[in-house]
Every structure is written in C-alpha cells, then in structure tokens.
Amino acid sequence: MIPVDVAGLTKIYVDQSRGEVRAVDDISFACQPGEIFGLLGANGAGKTTTLRMLSTILAPSAGRAAVMGHDVATAPEHVRRSLGFYSASTALYPRLTGRETLEFFARINGFPEAAVAARVEALITRFGIGEYAGARVDTLSQGMKQKVSIARTVAHDPPVLIFDEPSVGLDVLNALEMQKVIGELRDDGKTIIFSTHIMSEAERLCDRIAIIHRGRIHACGTLAELRAATGRHYLEDIFVHYVEQAGAAPTP
Amino acid sequence: MSPLLTLYRFEVRSALRERSIVINSILLPILLYPGLMWLMFTGISFVRGQTDDMASRIVVSGPLEAHAPLDRALRQDRRFQIVDPAGEDAAALRAGALDARLELSVHPVAALPGNLQALVVYDGSHERSSAARQRLVEVLEQYRDLQIRTETLARGVAARDWAGFLVEGRNVASERDMGGFLLGLMLPLMFVVMVAVGCFYPAIDTTAGERERGTWETLMTTSASRTSIVVAKYLYVATFGCVAGLLNVAAMALTMRTIVGQLAGGAVALDFSVRPEALPVLAAGAVLLSAFIAAGMMVFASFARTFREGQSMITPFYLLVLLPTVFLSSRGTAFSPALAAIPVVNVALVIRDALSGVFQWPLIGITVAVTLAAIAGLLRLAAAIVAAEAVVAGSYSGTLATFVRGLFGRAAPAPKETAR
C-alpha cells in the first residue's frame, strides 16, 4: 500500500478582491514507507494548503488524496487516525501536564486504551521528558514544549507524519534537534511529509524533494536527480532554476 | 473510552485549572449572593445598632407640665436626652447638634380640656433625627392611647367599644408557603443570572480560547469527528452552567434559611426548605436552561478568534437572556401560554411556580417543547458553523449574522465548502 497517494489535488478559493485563487493546482505525488518527502517552496507556494487537505482540515476542490488507503474526502476520521500532524500553528494545551497531553492525544486518536499508559511512558523516556512530565505545559521551556509537541504528534503511533515548517520560531539548536528526531522517525519506518522553505533543511533531511511554486509542483525527485536534471549543485540554485523556468520570480 | 467522553473529560479537567472559570462558574455562584446578603444585613444591623445605642437629643416646648404622664415618660425613657434650647433649633437640627424638637400646644378645636396638639420637628436626611422622630411618635401614641382609655372610662365607655370596629388579618399560608413564595421571587432570577455566568467563560474558553492559544488546529487534526468535538464542548459548557445554577440555588436557600431567618428574629414564620415535589422540576429546569444558554453562547462565540472578541460576541446574547427576567421581579406576573413560548422566561416561571408548590403541567409541557426546539435549532447552527471550512481553518472573518445570511444564500462570501 502506498502510504500517501495524491493525484490531481486542487484547491480553489474565491477571494472577494482577487476572484478565483488556485492555491493548489493539480498536484500529484506519492510517498513511500520510511521516506521523508520534502515539499520545498517559498511562503504562499501552497505547501500548507496541500498539507491541510491531506490532514482533512480543508476539502479539496478537485482531485483526490489518500492516506494509508483512506480517501480524505470519504473517510476523514480514518485519515486523521493514520497520521500525525505537526506545525507551528498546532500548539499544546497549556493547562495539561506533558503526561496528560500524551495520554489525551493517544486516546483521542484511537490508540488501544489498555496500551496507553505504556505508550506514554515509552514516549516520555524516548523524548527525555521524564523530569518534566508532571509539569503543566505552560511552565515548560521552549525546547521541552517542542519535545512534548513531537511526542503528542506520534502518541498514537501513526504510520504517516506531516511536519509543516516545523522549525519556524525555533533557535538553531532546537531546529537541529527537530531534524534529528525527524530522521529517527524515518528510521522507525514512518512515512514523513516535510514542508519547508529552508534549503539546508530539505537538503539534509529529505529523501525526495518536490519543488512547489504558485500551487504547482515543478519538479520532484531525489537531490541527485534534481542536480542531474538542472546541472546545478546547490538546492538553492536548483530551486531558483525551476522557479524561473515557471516564468516567475521567487517570492522574497 | 469513546472520543466524546475523552474530549468531555479533557475539557472539564482543563477548565478546572483555569482560575477565571473556577471563580465565575463555581465560587461566584456559591459565595456572591450569600456574601452580598451577609454584607448587606451586617451593614444594616451595624447602622441600626449604632442608632439604637444613641440617646436622642430633644428639645420640648409647650405645656409639658400639664401632661405629667408624658413628661414622666420622656424623662424616664433612657432613649431620650432632653436638652435646653440653644439658639435656632432648625439650624441645630440641620447641623446634627439636635435630633428633634417636640412642640406641644393646646388643640385649636379641642373638645376636651386636656386635648393636645403635638408637632415633631426633625431632619429626615439624618438617620439619627429620623430615629428620634420615630421614638417620639411612639411615646406620643402611647400617651394618646392612655388618654383615650382614661377619658372613655370616665364616661362609662370601654375603649374597645369606642374603637367602632376592629380590623384583623389571618394568613392561611404555612411557613413553607411563605418561604416558597419568597424563594420564588428571588431564586429564578438569580438562577438565570448564574447559569448565564456559569456558561459565559467556558463558552469563550472552548471556542475563542482554543483559537487564541493555537490549539484549535491541533484538535481539528485529531481523529475525533467534528460532531464529537461540538457535542463534547457543548456538554462541557452546559455542565458548568448547570452546576453554577444549582450551586447558586443551594447557596441561596441556605442563606435565606440562616441569615434571613435570624434577621426576622421569629417575627415572621418562614420555612425556606424546598418542597421535595419541586426538586425534579428544579433539576429539569436547570438542565433545560443551561442547555439552551450553553448552545446560544457557543453559537455566538464560534467566530471569535480571541478571548476579548469572544466576550464582545457573547455579551449581546447574555443581555438578551437576562432581559426577559425583568418580568420575574414583578410579583403579579402570571404564567401563561404566551410566556411559556419565550425561552428562559418560561423555565424561570416554571421554577418560580414549583417553589411555591404550583405545577401547571400543560404550561410545563409547552416550556419543555419550546426550549428543546430552540436548543435543537441552535445546535444545528453550531454544527453548520463547525462544518464550515473557513471557520475550521480559522480564516473566517465575518460575524454570526453574515454566516446566517450566507447559509440562506443572501451574502457573499458564504462558507460553501465544508471540511470533514
């Protein structure tokens, strides 16, 4: 089974001032198990809209997408149960403790009740939350909140993980820690979709990269394939090449 | 554990850790009105005690020596201190140096030689002066009664016969009836207020608060269905409203029994215990009222993106809920089919009647039907709001009115697409 299968996915908004806006325009891709699939694009390129459609927050205007064989349009709850979604806008509940947060997200996402306690303890150990597991989230440091946040994303052990610009707002050390954890999750066999506009992150982490600009995917492949196709070495140059080829200047 | 129960428990647990919710939905209903009442009566008792302990400084002018019993009564009564007139009495009264002046004179059309005319001059804007007047009137009336008895007896007529006819009253209401009546006057109004206060902060916290904290999207990406999320949030708000209302009823009943009973000092026989047959009606009323107010507040708060916006959006509904309860302060308001069709007022009147031992079942039936229909309508609207993609994604910038118009296709942009 292909963990994530997207075909012709489109999202059209009707904006009062701009009229019809194609935020995502007929994109297709598939992700394999144990792979980090990068969506690389400037701000406003359509990355978040794509990921929101995959996580069923937004409904596609056209096309289809399936996560672990579940269609986002017809089986949204199964889709959400099969994935963990992390972004800068998915905050933690400040009044819960770290442990309560993990218990809640494991339960609400359908993790077997009998195994919740053991799962939570395993996550606390794995992410080094132990000492702070009983403290309220609003009293934790930024780094510790980040750990709890990643742990809650994987609390129900989903096969697919979405990280939407996860390093936004993090300092260098926390951003590197985030990259390390994402790499480990890939090693665990998770399928990971990772969106970013930071070239170095994509270069370091992604097994395959899709370059997205103005709602369309202009190239998709491994870094080596993209280098070979463009004759450029650095991902930044590759990105600019495709954006220019698309007939538009990159968004600053 | 079902997602609904998990969400509900999570909402309640989280709310119990929020100071503003605990204060407004739990502590305020228990402490506010009993506290206010205690403060008010303590204040009244204090002022009264201060006045009672003070001797009234009075000046007496006129032929007091001709009325020995009155003279004796005034001089022996420790509540009075007869002082010598010093300067202008009116000025002394206004300045508070003197409490009252008693001017005695011969009655201009006296039928009997001993008839007397008494004028009490006082300053009504001074508590102490008013008390002096009251004390003087009391002594004068006793002296008048004495005179009437003496004169009538001298003429061979008993005072009772002289009175002509007697007016007496007999209250057939029991102590419990009286207590129920008084509870019925106050409790429904306070009950509505407290349910509304109890729902207010939870409704904002669970909608606008989620958005402000950035947890809305986190919740929307869980596998819980949108219906479960709405229902759990709704039940949480309704629970806090219901608890606030019931705690307030209990606190008020207890306060009335202890504080008001003590203040009455046995002068009025009152029993503030709630009739057992009223308890199921009270409980059902509490559930209906909190269910309606919770649904309304959640609908109004659904579009708010910050706590402050939520407060602004809910306040009109809050006032709308409280406005009809003005009817309840009128003692003569009779429960009618027309009033039974008005949400909130109908439940409050059912509660009022139940406290007095009156159960008008057809009107109670109308009340239940109307309230349930209103709740169903509001919940359908809430479901439509949460199903709207723009609302779920947090990008909707319109108001409830815009949204409702959009639902009926009369406004753009309407939330046509839905997220599942």
Side-chain angles (χ1 to χ4, degrees):
Chain A
M1 180 194 298
I2 300 171
V4 179
D5 190 12
V6 175
L9 201 63
T10 302
K11 182 67 188 177
I12 301 169
Y13 289 110
V14 179
D15 186 276
Q16 274 183 315
S17 56
R18 292 184 295 167
E20 190 178 283
V21 177
R22 285 181 171 262
V24 174
D25 190 5
D26 191 27
I27 65 168
S28 302
F29 62 87
C31 306
Q32 303 303 321
E35 174 186 50
I36 298 181
F37 182 84
L39 274 179
L40 182 66
N43 291 335
K47 305 187 295 291
T48 297
T49 304
T50 302
L51 299 182
R52 282 182 161 190
M53 283 191 280
L54 277 177
S55 59
T56 76
I57 293 174
L58 300 178
S61 304
R64 63 170 195 83
V67 175
M68 300 305 291
H70 305 296
D71 192 280
V72 295
T74 56
E77 282 143 34
H78 286 94
V79 168
R80 293 199 292 268
R81 188 168 294 181
S82 304
L83 60 80
F85 187 91
Y86 179 103
S87 82
S89 57
T90 50
L92 293 169
Y93 286 95
R95 294 176 216 141
L96 296 187
T97 66
R99 178 176 275 106
E100 287 167 349
T101 300
L102 301 183
E103 285 170 354
F104 170 68
F105 281 98
R107 287 200 176 100
I108 199 66
N109 285 308
F111 198 77
E113 181 62 36
V116 166
R119 173 68 179 165
V120 167
E121 289 312 315
L123 288 169
I124 286 171
T125 306
R126 174 173 183 175
F127 289 96
I129 302 167
E131 201 182 330
Y132 302 96
R136 274 173 57 142
V137 165
D138 55 5
T139 64
L140 299 178
S141 66
Q142 185 61 33
M144 193 53 67
K145 277 182 190 166
Q146 180 192 321
K147 286 179 180 176
V148 175
S149 200
I150 298 171
R152 75 94 195 141
T153 306
V154 299
H156 57 299
D157 199 18
V160 177
L161 297 170
I162 293 176
F163 286 90
D164 183 14
E165 308 223 32
S167 51
V168 167
L170 298 182
D171 60 35
V172 176
L173 293 177
N174 282 323
L176 288 172
E177 175 68 21
M178 170 71 77
Q179 288 174 24
K180 184 178 153 223
V181 169
I182 291 172
E184 288 170 0
L185 290 167
R186 182 229 344 246
D187 297 343
D188 290 348
K190 306 289 184 193
T191 301
I192 297 169
I193 304 179
F194 177 82
S195 90
T196 185
H197 63 272
I198 302 169
M199 306 295 156
S200 59
E201 267 187 356
E203 239 175 50
R204 188 172 301 146
L205 270 179
C206 298
D207 299 304
R208 285 192 302 140
I209 298 169
I211 293 175
I212 184 169
H213 183 67
R214 293 197 173 167
R216 296 183 77 95
I217 289 180
H218 294 279
C220 184
T222 62
L223 187 57
E225 286 169 349
L226 294 174
R227 280 173 178 157
T230 59
R232 286 163 169 81
H233 182 76
Y234 295 108
L235 186 54
E236 198 170 67
D237 295 333
I238 295 168
F239 178 76
V240 172
H241 168 83
Y242 280 111
V243 166
E244 284 177 350
Q245 202 175 58
T251 309
Chain B
M1 197 182 296
S2 75
L4 180 63
L5 188 58
T6 303
L7 280 164
Y8 176 75
R9 284 181 55 177
F10 151 74
E11 292 279 3
V12 171
R13 175 190 286 178
S14 191
L16 288 173
R17 291 178 184 171
E18 173 58 36
R19 199 185 333 178
S20 61
I21 294 176
V22 172
I23 289 173
N24 285 287
S25 302
I26 297 174
L27 295 181
L28 195 72
I30 298 174
L31 301 175
L32 178 71
Y33 289 111
L36 279 179
M37 202 170 273
W38 179 81
L39 272 177
M40 189 175 77
F41 287 128
T42 303
I44 290 171
S45 303
F46 176 75
V47 172
R48 226 180 245 172
Q50 293 272 312
T51 311
D52 288 348
D53 288 345
M54 286 179 185
S56 298
R57 296 156 301 172
I58 58 167
V59 168
V60 182
S61 62
L64 185 60
E65 63 283 353
H67 299 274
L70 177 61
D71 187 24
R72 202 165 43 246
L74 288 173
R75 290 188 192 284
Q76 287 178 352
D77 193 331
R78 295 177 66 182
R79 295 179 301 165
F80 295 110
Q81 180 191 351
I82 299 175
V83 297
D84 293 329
E88 178 57 44
D89 285 349
L93 278 170
R94 277 196 296 274
L98 182 68
D99 296 325
R101 190 175 76 233
L102 174 60
E103 293 177 8
L104 300 174
S105 57
V106 176
H107 198 287
V109 286
L112 297 170
N115 275 9
L116 183 70
Q117 179 170 281
L119 173 68
V120 179
V121 182
Y122 71 106
D123 184 341
S125 65
H126 288 166
E127 172 72 21
R128 204 172 157 177
S129 186
S130 297
R133 174 196 164 269
Q134 198 175 336
R135 289 169 176 176
L136 279 172
V137 168
E138 196 181 301
V139 172
L140 286 166
E141 281 178 350
Q142 281 173 0
Y143 178 57
R144 184 175 57 190
D145 287 348
L146 178 68
Q147 264 210 321
I148 289 170
R149 271 202 306 276
T150 308
E151 294 294 337
T152 52
L153 277 175
R155 286 158 181 79
V157 181
R160 197 173 48 197
D161 300 330
W162 183 258
F165 62 88
L166 292 173
V167 178
E168 289 181 346
R170 184 156 52 93
N171 187 358
V172 296
S174 66
E175 294 174 7
R176 174 173 275 187
D177 290 337
M178 287 303 296
F181 170 71
L182 287 176
L183 277 179
L185 277 181
M186 284 182 279
L187 271 190
L189 176 63
M190 290 174 181
F191 188 70
V192 172
V193 172
M194 273 303 131
V195 168
V197 169
C199 288
F200 194 89
Y201 282 93
I204 301 172
D205 180 64
T206 198
T207 51
E210 287 259 22
R211 290 204 177 90
E212 192 167 29
R213 291 188 293 267
T215 51
W216 181 257
E217 190 162 311
T218 314
L219 188 62
M220 290 298 140
T221 55
T222 65
S223 68
S225 68
R226 300 288 185 261
T227 306
S228 297
I229 292 172
V230 171
V231 172
K233 285 178 177 293
Y234 169 65
L235 288 178
Y236 147 60
V237 178
T239 300
F240 273 70
C242 192
V243 166
L246 290 175
L247 284 176
N248 190 241
V249 167
M252 280 304 303
L254 204 64
T255 308
M256 300 278 270
R257 188 183 291 185
T258 52
I259 296 180
V260 179
Q262 275 180 11
L263 279 169
V268 185
L270 295 171
D271 177 359
F272 288 108
S273 57
V274 178
R275 297 158 194 279
E277 64 270 27
L279 289 175
V281 178
L282 277 178
V287 171
L288 275 178
L289 200 59
S290 44
F292 173 76
I293 293 175
M297 286 195 173
M298 282 197 60
V299 164
F300 273 78
S302 293
F303 300 100
R305 279 169 292 186
T306 64
F307 210 90
R308 187 168 288 187
E309 260 185 33
Q311 283 180 310
S312 309
M313 287 179 176
I314 281 189
T315 300
F317 179 76
Y318 179 73
L319 296 175
L320 205 65
V321 163
L322 297 188
L323 193 66
T325 57
V326 173
F327 290 115
L328 300 173
S329 57
S330 166
R331 292 168 64 162
T333 305
F335 195 16
S336 63
L339 288 177
I342 304 175
V344 179
V345 173
N346 51 13
V347 178
L349 287 171
V350 167
I351 292 171
R352 185 196 70 178
D353 282 2
L355 287 167
S356 299
V358 178
F359 302 93
Q360 302 186 64
W361 294 111
L363 295 180
I364 292 174
I366 295 173
T367 297
V368 172
V370 166
T371 308
L372 287 179
I375 292 169
L378 286 167
L379 285 182
R380 280 200 68 173
L381 184 56
I385 290 168
V386 175
E389 183 176 274
V391 178
V392 172
S395 59
Y396 188 77
S397 58
T399 61
L400 176 61
T402 321
F403 184 85
V404 172
R405 282 202 298 275
L407 278 182
F408 294 101
R410 283 191 281 138
K416 291 186 178 100
E417 293 175 280
T418 57
R420 287 165 290 267

